[in-house]
Amino acid sequence: MGRTGTNFFARYFRKIFSDSVSLHEPGSIVLNRKKIRFKKSLKYAGWRVSVINKFINTEDIKKLSKKRMEGKINKEETAEKIIKIRKNIINNIDKNIYIESNYQFQGVLDVLPLVFSNFQSLYIIRDPRDWVRSFINRRGLYHWSDLHYILNNRINAYAVGEKTKTEWKQMNQFEKLSWAWNFINGYALDSIKKTATCRLIKFEDIFVADNKTNNLLAITDSLRQENRNLKINKNYKKITKTILEKKINKSYYSILPKWTAWENEQAKTLNKYCGKLMHKLGYGHEKEWQDLL
């Protein structure tokens, strides 16, 4: 999902693995009421994938992922369409390894082994309390300025039969984000169970933990062991430590404070949607959180 270090990982793997192309959301367009911004990776994706497919055609990774989560398209058809979308990019790179860091794959993880050969993937999950706060402070997902939401390019509760359209419209951004964290991650985790070369990692282990450098190095080393074609920069340990010290893609505003300063009702709302899954993943066991509930 977004706000989980996708930009970081694209840059990190670009520095670490030689003979590779590492892209962040190739072909994506940032859409909100204040700006339209094209990703730097546009040169690999081409205008057809980035623009025509988004505004005229009906197919891009975001829409396919949404359709998959809504149960409107099967694995085989999804794989064929992703191949068409990514074929141009793959044909344009002159490296041995292709790396993509992209939250839009969240609904098609179990499809990707049918698309890419020698496939490996990492799925990053983040504490919902911090994830919801991050998006609200960035005025992102489900915000009035989110044109993708207005264009119905975001997953929603009524499309999957969990709410009526009226109930969904009456929910505020905090509630919608809480619902999205639970639904999307739940769907992704079910897909991971079916996909041998996909594994789960926690955002906190890479960006918060005291031993975060060692944790990231362990992931990097395991990727090398699983794929001998990965050539690594000889200074990768030093690069890893240095890059973790830099903050990338920070939130703009301070609208919602850290959960320790939340009102009881905010905690109860998030727990209503996310409680079961977050506890299963080891989040929300703090005494302070339990007191808020």
Side-chain angles (χ1 to χ4, degrees):
M1 300 175 73
R3 312 304 296 156
T4 56
T6 51
N7 201 342
F8 167 87
F9 273 103
R11 297 186 187 193
Y12 174 68
F13 289 137
R14 190 179 303 140
K15 291 176 178 288
I16 289 294
F17 294 124
S18 53
D19 194 26
S20 71
V21 168
S22 178
L23 304 180
H24 180 242
E25 299 177 17
S28 291
I29 303 173
V30 176
L31 283 180
N32 60 45
R33 292 181 184 270
K34 293 183 178 179
K35 63 183 177 181
I36 297 178
R37 179 167 59 86
F38 297 93
K39 295 283 187 178
K40 292 179 180 178
S41 51
L42 172 66
K43 66 177 182 177
Y44 290 99
W47 283 94
R48 179 176 178 80
V49 169
S50 301
V51 182
I52 297 176
N53 281 2
K54 286 189 183 300
F55 296 108
I56 299 176
N57 204 342
T58 58
E59 307 300 350
D60 63 12
I61 303 296
K62 186 194 298 293
K63 292 172 185 174
L64 288 173
S65 192
K66 181 174 179 284
K67 284 183 180 180
R68 186 87 178 116
M69 288 188 283
E70 292 172 352
K72 294 179 178 178
I73 189 170
N74 63 36
K75 284 178 68 172
E76 290 70 24
E77 186 180 357
T78 305
E80 289 176 9
K81 291 181 181 296
I82 294 175
I83 288 170
K84 288 180 181 179
I85 293 168
R86 285 293 176 261
K87 188 176 182 180
N88 188 53
I89 296 178
I90 300 299
N91 287 341
N92 278 336
I93 66 174
D94 57 356
K95 305 290 185 179
N96 192 40
I97 299 293
Y98 175 68
I99 303 171
E100 181 169 334
S101 184
N102 194 344
Y103 82 93
Q104 296 174 4
F105 284 120
Q106 57 199 9
V108 295
L109 293 172
D110 60 330
V111 177
L112 297 180
L114 302 178
V115 178
F116 298 104
S117 61
N118 223 2
F119 167 79
Q120 295 167 276
S121 68
L122 302 172
Y123 184 78
I124 311 164
I125 203 163
R126 186 177 184 181
D127 187 324
R129 298 165 295 185
D130 295 326
W131 184 83
V132 168
R133 179 186 178 224
S134 181
F135 258 118
I136 286 180
N137 287 345
R138 198 171 175 82
R139 293 184 177 174
L141 205 63
Y142 304 120
H143 188 259
W144 64 267
S145 64
D146 177 15
L147 291 184
H148 280 300
Y149 175 50
I150 294 169
L151 294 171
N152 196 32
N153 291 337
R154 304 289 188 200
I155 192 71
N156 61 69
Y158 65 84
V160 298
E162 292 191 3
K163 299 275 186 182
T164 65
K165 198 167 186 176
T166 300
E167 287 172 333
W168 174 257
K169 286 183 176 180
Q170 291 174 344
M171 292 165 63
N172 59 35
Q173 187 191 18
F174 185 95
E175 292 174 301
K176 288 174 179 176
L177 286 167
S178 298
W179 174 87
W181 183 91
N182 183 72
F183 179 83
I184 294 172
N185 282 315
Y187 187 96
L189 291 174
D190 286 341
S191 297
I192 289 172
K193 292 175 185 176
K194 309 169 191 172
T195 312
T197 50
C198 183
R199 64 176 177 229
L200 176 72
I201 60 175
K202 284 187 173 181
F203 174 95
E204 295 76 19
D205 290 338
I206 305 301
F207 299 104
V208 180
D210 292 337
N211 58 339
K212 59 186 180 181
T213 300
N214 289 336
N215 290 341
L216 184 52
L217 286 172
I219 290 170
T220 304
D221 288 334
S222 68
L223 289 172
R224 290 174 65 206
Q225 291 171 7
E226 293 165 15
N227 191 333
R228 296 298 180 182
N229 290 323
L230 281 173
K231 298 177 182 178
I232 199 163
N233 188 308
K234 64 180 181 179
N235 295 318
Y236 78 101
K237 292 184 178 180
K238 182 179 180 180
I239 292 171
T240 299
K241 184 177 181 180
T242 300
I243 198 170
L244 276 173
E245 293 172 354
K246 297 178 181 179
K247 197 159 187 177
I248 296 174
N249 210 16
K250 294 186 290 185
S251 296
Y252 304 132
Y253 309 102
S254 296
I255 301 167
L256 184 68
K258 188 172 174 58
W259 67 262
T260 50
W262 285 6
E263 300 294 333
N264 297 81
E265 288 306 312
Q266 290 173 306
K268 289 177 181 178
T269 296
L270 185 130
N271 190 67
K272 171 185 172 183
Y273 291 102
C274 307
K276 186 176 180 180
L277 183 56
M278 66 185 288
H279 278 264
K280 182 179 178 181
L281 292 165
Y283 299 121
H285 294 294
E286 305 92 343
K287 182 181 183 301
E288 297 91 339
W289 179 252
Q290 294 301 316
D291 289 343
L292 278 174
L293 298 177

